């Protein structure tokens, strides 16, 4: 199981964000991207909410989560009070992937997957797209 320091993991998340085309990054409004070591009860509770867009899950491990109002849903009256949050979880990534190269690639996929939820894309479509 590959391990990364917190700084290395955060750098991989940042690299994933930098690889996203500028037009998509510019469309992100009121969204924070954070790194957590492990998901907690709060994160798992979000998965049970009817308005949850979905999450990145592999082998029962929560890799990433989008907690917010998707762009299409914002058209129905969005005040933008609290930022939406994309959380990428370090521990589950380290447990699920066998090499450093695979780990870095999957961090990138998780970031894109969760940003896809911001744009209103559901889990099934994101999986079809390879994320």
């Amino acid at each position: 199981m590959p391990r990364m320091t917190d700084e290395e993991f955060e750098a991989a998340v940042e690299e994933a964000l930098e690889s996203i085309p500028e037009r998509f990054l510019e469309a992100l409004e009121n969204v924070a991207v954070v790194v957590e070591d492990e998901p907690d009860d709060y994160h798992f509770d979000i998965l049970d909410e009817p308005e949850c867009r979905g999450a990145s899950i592999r082998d029962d491990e929560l890799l990433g989560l989008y907690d917010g109002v998707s762009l299409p849903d914002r058209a129905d009256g969005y005040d933008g009070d609290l930022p939406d949050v994309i959380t990428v979880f370090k521990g589950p990534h380290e447990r699920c992937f066998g090499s450093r190269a695979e780990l870095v690639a999957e961090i990138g996929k998780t970031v894109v997957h969760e940003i896809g939820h911001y744009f209103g894309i559901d889990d099934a479509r994101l999986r079809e797209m390879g994320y």
Side-chain angles (χ1 to χ4, degrees):
M1 171 169 66
R3 297 260 184 212
M4 297 176 108
T5 66
D6 291 346
E7 293 78 19
E8 290 171 326
F9 193 87
E10 290 169 10
V13 170
E14 187 65 35
E15 183 179 308
L17 287 167
E18 290 171 0
S19 73
I20 294 171
E22 191 65 30
R23 68 180 184 267
F24 294 114
L25 289 177
E26 288 173 357
L28 292 177
E29 182 180 319
N30 203 27
V31 178
V33 179
V34 300
V35 171
E36 297 279 346
D37 285 330
E38 297 289 339
D40 59 24
D41 290 341
Y42 171 79
H43 299 109
F44 289 111
D45 289 346
I46 291 170
L47 293 174
D48 294 330
E49 293 179 4
E51 62 273 359
C52 178
R53 302 292 305 175
S56 299
I57 298 173
R58 179 175 173 142
D59 300 332
D60 294 326
E61 293 272 12
L62 182 59
L63 303 176
L65 180 67
Y66 173 72
D67 180 14
V69 179
S70 70
L71 193 57
D73 291 339
R74 289 178 182 208
D76 295 331
Y78 175 73
D79 295 332
D81 295 332
L82 295 174
D84 293 5
V85 179
I86 292 172
T87 308
V88 183
F89 299 104
K90 183 176 182 255
H93 274 88
E94 290 177 329
R95 287 190 293 278
C96 285
F97 305 103
S99 72
R100 185 177 181 86
E102 187 180 25
L103 177 58
V104 170
E106 293 298 328
I107 291 167
K109 286 182 181 180
T110 298
V111 169
V112 171
H113 182 103
E114 301 312 325
I115 288 174
H117 288 315
Y118 168 83
F119 286 104
I121 305 170
D122 66 18
D123 279 328
R125 180 64 183 128
L126 285 163
R127 280 190 296 276
E128 287 173 8
M129 296 167 64
Y131 300 104

